[in-house]
């Protein structure tokens, strides 16, 4: 028998919002204001540095305030750039917060979800940036709650993040909830660890080499409607 979910908890980046497109656009704009260019090598190096720092943040080792500057400090050191990492970070976040790139098909999918199903965003990110991007994409009113890790001080996959989520949405009926996201380490591990069903959005059909087991796996949004 099909399960009836009354709350869909969507991750933002890589699920609803196209983080990669926004990231490239914002890095290029910030670099241009410093007279610098973002080559493919620079982009790869930045992504390597940034994802290592986000992994530290998910483990609670650094704060989002530290992360936002440290990634550019490390990048500048590695590349010999003579810049203020603080100023570069501000320029980057200003651009990022003003970009509303969405994942293909996400807007249509959101519009097709039956009206009696509640929707929330659960995202690890910086408050102003995530709000800015969701606003730019015209998504603020589509979700009943927008829950951003920086507001809670705790990031997915920590249970504390989900405690806060339940409080915000005003429901503790986790059996009626579904976490939907592209990250096994934050969305799926977080939801599963908390006892919430999970749906791994895996458009690139990556192999799951982890011990994290999603309840469902989909590679496109049609897959979600087969679950609901
Ligand atoms: Mg994501």
């Amino acid at each position: 028998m099909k399960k009836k979910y009354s709350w869909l908890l969507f991750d933002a980046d890589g699920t609803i919002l196209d983080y990669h497109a926004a990231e490239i656009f914002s890095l290029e704009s910030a670099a241009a204001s410093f007279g610098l260019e973002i080559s493919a090598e620079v982009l790869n190096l930045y992504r390597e540095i940034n994802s290592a720092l986000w992994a530290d943040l998910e483990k609670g080792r650094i704060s989002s305030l530290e992360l936002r500057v440290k990634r550019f400090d490390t990048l500048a050191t590695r590349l010999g750039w003579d810049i203020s990492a603080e100023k570069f970070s501000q320029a980057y976040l200003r651009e990022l917060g003003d970009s509303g790139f969405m994942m293909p098909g996400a807007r249509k999918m959101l519009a097709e979800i039956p009206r009696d199903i509640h929707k929330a965003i659960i995202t690890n990110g910086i408050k102003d940036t995530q709000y800015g991007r969701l606003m730019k994409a015209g998504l603020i009113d589509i979700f009943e709650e927008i829950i951003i890790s920086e507001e809670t001080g705790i990031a997915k996959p920590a249970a504390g993040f989900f405690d806060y989520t339940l409080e915000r949405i005003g429901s503790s009926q986790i059996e009626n909830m579904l976490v939907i996201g592209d990250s096994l380490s934050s969305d799926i591990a977080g939801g599963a660890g908390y006892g919430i069903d999970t749906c791994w959005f895996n458009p690139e059909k990556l192999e799951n080499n982890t011990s994290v087991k999603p309840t469902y796996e989909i590679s496109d949004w049609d897959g979600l409607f087969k679950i609901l």
Side-chain angles (χ1 to χ4, degrees), residues 14 38-39 43 49 54 58 68 71 87 95 106 121 130 137 153 165 168 175 178 189 192 225:
I38 302 293
S39 65
L43 180 63
I49 292 166
W54 272 103
E58 283 172 12
R68 57 176 96 173
R71 53 192 175 181
K87 290 220 168 72
E95 295 295 341
I121 285 278
Q130 297 303 72
T165 297
R168 282 278 301 273
E175 65 277 13
L178 182 67
F225 289 98

Side-chain angles (χ1 to χ4, degrees), residues 165-183:
T165 297
L166 265 52
E167 204 178 291
R168 282 278 301 273
I169 67 178
S171 171
S172 53
Q173 309 223 270
I174 58 171
E175 65 277 13
N176 297 329
M177 296 176 192
L178 182 67
V179 170
I180 302 152
D182 68 306
S183 166

Side-chain angles (χ1 to χ4, degrees), residues 115-157:
R115 287 189 176 276
D116 60 337
I117 300 180
H118 306 286
K119 301 183 289 296
I121 285 278
I122 53 167
T123 175
N124 283 354
I126 296 165
K127 187 180 168 196
D128 293 347
T129 308
Q130 297 303 72
Y131 268 115
R133 295 170 65 209
L134 289 164
M135 190 140 15
K136 192 86 178 178
L139 293 174
I140 294 286
D141 296 334
I142 288 184
F143 296 97
E144 274 148 271
E145 289 291 346
I146 292 167
I147 295 139
I148 304 174
S149 65
E150 194 184 51
E151 293 174 322
T152 72
I154 309 168
K156 294 175 287 181

Side-chain angles (χ1 to χ4, degrees), residues 53-70:
L53 288 170
W54 272 103
D56 283 347
L57 184 132
E58 283 172 12
K59 290 177 189 129
R61 290 184 188 146
I62 57 164
S63 69
S64 73
L65 267 176
E66 290 168 313
L67 172 142
R68 57 176 96 173
V69 177
K70 196 172 177 193

Side-chain angles (χ1 to χ4, degrees), residues 209-223:
N209 297 315
T210 73
S211 58
V212 179
K213 293 276 169 282
T215 316
Y216 310 97
E217 179 179 336
I218 59 172
S219 60
D220 58 37
W221 292 121
D222 286 343

Side-chain angles (χ1 to χ4, degrees), residues 11 16 41 47 82 134 151 164 168 184 196 203 211:
D11 167 52
I16 301 294
E41 289 76 24
R47 284 185 170 160
D82 182 21
L134 289 164
E151 293 174 322
Y164 179 73
R168 282 278 301 273
L184 287 168
I196 304 176
S211 58

